[in-house]
Amino acid sequence: MRKDYFSPSLMCGDWLNLRGEIQAYEEAGAEMIHFDIMDTTFTPTTMLPPSLVQAVRKATEIPLDIHLMVREPEYFLDNILPWCDGCYISVHAEATKQLREVVRDIREAGAKPSVALNPGTPLCMIEEVAPYLDMALILNGNAGKSTKQDIDSHMERKIRRARELLDTCGNETALIEVDGNISFENALRAKRNGANVYVLGTASIYGKETGVAENIRRLREYLKESEG
């Protein structure tokens, strides 16, 4: 059974108390911190600034899970790679004509390359770089859209095929991450089809009666119980 990795989304936290949010992640044993950088290419708004990466890295030893939702991500890398040793960096296959070079540059800088795919983007877009990835990010919805999409049979198949693609090319250790309305139930559906990294936001750990740390603990128990 593959290890589960929890990646709470800093974007969904209390912006006036980000240090407190990070402390809650640490208390809960979160394996990553999801950090969205947006330039309106895929979203209707901008989001977390690249300059915040350095500050967060100084505040915690939890690795960042950076999702570059930007056009031509290669031009953003110089601003974040100096502080991303051991961190995951996801770029969109749809956003660059230099995907293999971007993956190579991320790895050579000491970070862990990942490629993200929007719901309507076919899995074949990562086929040529699959052997060089540490993670593939499968989006269960387009960022910025109000529709909350459950993980349906089509998305389950896409997750399974992503796992098969990585395994077939000899990259069995690469992770499969899911992002977008990852509730407890959707996390379980994703897990059963080969995912093992879960981006956690308002559908699972924020805005609930119990706090972030407790909700992460509950989700971990929920997924563990499903193994039996």
Side-chain angles (χ1 to χ4, degrees), residues 6 8 20-30 184 200 204-206 210-220:
F6 289 176
E21 297 287 2
I22 292 169
Q23 290 173 346
Y25 305 157
E26 292 175 334
E27 177 186 341
F184 282 33
L200 307 179
S204 55
I205 64 172
Y206 290 105
T210 49
V212 166
E214 174 63 13
N215 289 330
I216 291 175
R217 184 192 66 79
R218 289 183 178 185
L219 177 55
R220 200 178 296 277

Side-chain angles (χ1 to χ4, degrees), residues 57-115:
R57 286 291 281 161
K58 289 180 177 179
T60 182
E61 294 183 359
I62 302 176
L64 295 185
D65 167 26
I66 298 173
H67 182 186
L68 285 174
M69 282 184 278
V70 300
R71 179 184 292 109
E72 297 178 330
E74 52 269 28
Y75 298 115
F76 283 73
L77 293 178
D78 286 346
N79 293 322
I80 63 174
L81 282 177
W83 300 280
C84 289
D85 186 53
C87 297
Y88 290 85
I89 300 180
S90 296
V91 300
H92 273 263
E94 310 96 331
T96 179
K97 297 178 180 178
Q98 304 177 40
L99 186 57
R100 184 162 179 171
E101 289 75 13
V102 169
V103 167
R104 179 200 61 204
D105 291 346
I106 292 171
R107 183 173 301 285
E108 288 183 350
K112 299 180 179 182
S114 169
V115 177

Side-chain angles (χ1 to χ4, degrees), residues 12 45 62 65 98 100 110 119 122 132 135 137 144 179 184 195 207 228:
C12 297
T45 185
I62 302 176
D65 167 26
Q98 304 177 40
R100 184 162 179 171
Y132 312 106
M135 186 169 74
L137 170 53
D179 184 6
F184 282 33

Side-chain angles (χ1 to χ4, degrees), residues 10 13-25 206:
L10 195 65
D14 181 356
W15 290 10
L16 296 182
N17 185 29
L18 292 184
R19 187 175 295 276
E21 297 287 2
I22 292 169
Q23 290 173 346
Y25 305 157
Y206 290 105

Side-chain angles (χ1 to χ4, degrees), residues 149-206:
Q149 176 70 43
D150 282 333
I151 289 180
D152 58 16
S153 58
H154 172 76
M155 189 58 60
E156 288 177 337
R157 180 173 178 267
K158 190 172 186 178
I159 295 168
R160 288 197 305 272
R161 290 172 56 231
R163 182 72 269 160
E164 291 167 1
L165 172 62
L166 292 167
D167 291 349
T168 299
C169 70
N171 198 359
E172 296 90 348
T173 60
L175 310 177
I176 300 286
E177 180 175 44
V178 287
D179 184 6
N181 194 36
I182 305 303
S183 62
F184 282 33
E185 294 79 12
N186 282 332
L188 180 55
R189 292 188 187 104
K191 177 184 175 73
R192 286 175 171 169
N193 286 278
N196 61 329
V197 185
Y198 315 94
V199 178
L200 307 179
T202 55
S204 55
I205 64 172
Y206 290 105

